[in-house]
Amino acid sequence: MDSDGSIVTPFTRLLGIRHPIVSAPMGRASRPELAAAVTNAGGLGGLGFSWDSPQHIEELIGAVRRLTNDGPFLANFVLEWDQHERMETALSAGARIISFFWGDIAPYMDRAKAAGALVVHTVGTPEEARRSVDLGVDILVAQGNEAGGHVWSRLSTMVLVPLVVDVAGKVPVLAAGGIADGRGLAAALMLGASGVWLGTRFLVSTEAACHSDYKRRLIEAASSDTIETTLFDGGWPDAPSRVLRNRTVEAWETAGRPESGSRPGEGEEIGRTPDGNPVRRYSFAGLLSDGQGDIDDFVIYAGESVGLVREVAPASEIVRALIADAAQTIAQRAGHSTKG
Ligand SMILES: Cc1cc2nc3c(=O)[nH]c(=O)nc-3n(C[C@H](O)[C@H](O)[C@H](O)COP(=O)(O)O)c2cc1C
């Protein structure tokens, strides 16, 4: 703990930031307003670019650079798709922290490094972590199975983080999945992590670009309302994700869990994206702030930490509370002396 109230770790030192907190990239829900709010509060803001056109990526990076006065931000790419062109655009537009998930980073490493970028990789096993370290990754994210959105790991965060820390050497490890408050941050540090990577908590921030009905659903949800499923496979097949149980899930279960292609309401239009494109039932696209449709028809990504999230808050307030509560938790626990 620093005298100014920040928590200093190898991760904060590497990036020159105040707080070991990252707002996780969450596709189109993580836009410049959210990333900038987190960076400006002393953390690191993440942006998801996996499905954007190169021109849009340039605009988004221009926006986050303006909003942060050229502060750090993280540009994320899901490797289920070829991301060379998008990464190239992001690097040219000034991205200096490149993050990957869901695939082989080897084909991207040389170019990212040659551009002077730091490379972050989200892993689900210690084996994947070791390979990433051998390839020269700068930061590892250990994402446990309780995480919201697409989940790569079968292991819980509690087990995965120390396993990854054990093979990471000097590479800082961030803990992801199941962390939504200062107690989670404190616990992650105790497991050897250098910081935390929070999705679900920042999805319920004022700045997140998901629909207000989506945020309301997350506030109402209990942790036991999430399931891991491949049901929402439209556009991204065979990829398990953690979502909230809703009408679409229940109708499919009632129908006896039929295969893709013969599910209730398969292919029907359930709403529109903010650009006016139709969204079909079982699509992997969530309901965004300017999108149209009923949240009960859409996929609702959420991690088990959803039960800890009780209100929409500005991202800067989330960062502040995480640090204050973690510091308090650590101080209180330090007071529990071991008597033997
Ligand atoms: C709505 C949503 C969208 C996500 N999209 C992405 C993405 O585009 N790229 C990525 O690497 N991870 C993505 N994730 C996973 C997060 O980066 C992060 O690992 C996860 O949210 C951490 O778990 P938590 O939700 O318990 O905090 C997404 C998660 C959510 C909830």
Side-chain angles (χ1 to χ4, degrees):
M1 194 81 190
D2 230 20
S3 53
D4 71 345
S6 51
I7 296 173
V8 181
T9 71
F11 170 68
T12 62
R13 269 191 231 110
L14 177 65
L15 263 60
I17 60 176
R18 285 189 65 210
H19 301 311
I21 296 169
V22 182
S23 59
M26 294 181 285
R28 292 180 163 143
S30 50
R31 287 317 198 196
E33 294 69 25
L34 173 57
V38 173
T39 290
N40 291 339
L44 176 68
L47 293 135
F49 291 136
S50 298
W51 305 280
D52 292 305
S53 68
Q55 191 201 335
H56 198 199
I57 291 173
E58 271 175 20
E59 290 163 9
L60 294 166
I61 290 183
V64 77
R65 291 184 65 178
R66 265 193 313 282
L67 291 169
T68 59
N69 206 5
D70 264 337
F73 64 93
L74 172 144
N76 168 265
F77 304 93
V78 173
L79 299 181
E80 173 77 9
W81 297 269
D82 184 294
Q83 299 288 7
H84 283 95
E85 190 187 357
R86 290 192 184 92
M87 180 179 83
E88 198 56 50
T89 307
L91 290 169
S92 314
R96 288 295 166 267
I97 307 172
I98 299 289
S99 132
F100 298 116
F101 185 30
W102 214 271
D104 185 7
I105 60 171
Y108 299 87
M109 285 301 290
D110 286 352
R111 180 61 198 120
K113 290 279 179 169
L118 294 174
V119 177
V120 184
H121 189 204
T122 299
V123 299
T125 61
E127 293 75 24
E128 199 185 4
R130 193 189 298 272
R131 180 163 188 271
S132 306
V133 170
D134 291 344
L135 286 167
V137 89
D138 299 286
I139 296 162
L140 287 163
V141 180
Q143 189 215 44
N145 183 260
E146 54 268 65
H150 285 82
V151 279
W152 189 241
S153 187
R154 306 275 71 80
L155 304 174
S156 67
T157 304
M158 189 81 176
V159 171
L160 181 64
V161 170
L163 286 173
V164 170
V165 167
D166 284 346
V167 299
K170 287 191 169 11
V171 175
V173 177
L174 305 177
I179 302 163
D181 62 21
R183 294 169 296 182
L185 167 54
L189 297 173
M190 291 302 126
L191 292 175
S194 283
V196 288
W197 172 280
L198 275 62
T200 301
R201 174 60 274 203
F202 283 110
L203 206 51
V204 194
S205 65
T206 318
E207 295 88 349
C210 57
H211 200 280
S212 53
D213 292 348
Y214 193 148
K215 295 179 192 179
R216 196 168 316 125
R217 262 322 256 280
L218 296 186
I219 288 171
E220 289 164 3
S223 289
S224 50
D225 293 338
T226 78
I227 53 164
E228 189 192 351
T229 182
T230 53
L231 183 63
F232 296 94
D233 57 0
W236 192 351
D238 303 319
S241 62
R242 185 166 297 285
V243 306
L244 284 188
R245 182 182 291 284
N246 67 352
R247 190 162 65 208
T248 294
V249 174
E250 277 160 15
W252 171 71
E253 286 173 348
T254 306
R257 302 170 180 254
E259 293 288 303
S260 185
S262 47
R263 299 172 293 188
E266 185 99 43
E268 79 185 331
E269 185 177 323
I270 55 166
R272 297 265 161 166
T273 66
D275 343 312
N277 293 317
V279 179
R280 310 215 172 268
R281 196 176 296 279
Y282 307 112
S283 164
F284 82 108
L287 184 56
L288 295 171
S289 25
D290 295 323
Q292 288 166 27
D294 184 332
I295 188 66
D296 228 6
D297 291 320
F298 278 72
V299 63
I300 310 175
Y301 297 113
E304 288 183 357
S305 65
V306 72
L308 294 165
V309 178
R310 301 190 179 104
E311 70 205 347
V312 180
S316 61
E317 174 55 24
I318 294 173
V319 172
R320 194 205 57 72
L322 277 162
I323 294 296
D325 294 349
Q328 195 189 11
T329 301
I330 292 166
Q332 277 171 357
R333 296 302 179 273
H336 292 189
S337 59
T338 46
K339 294 200 180 125

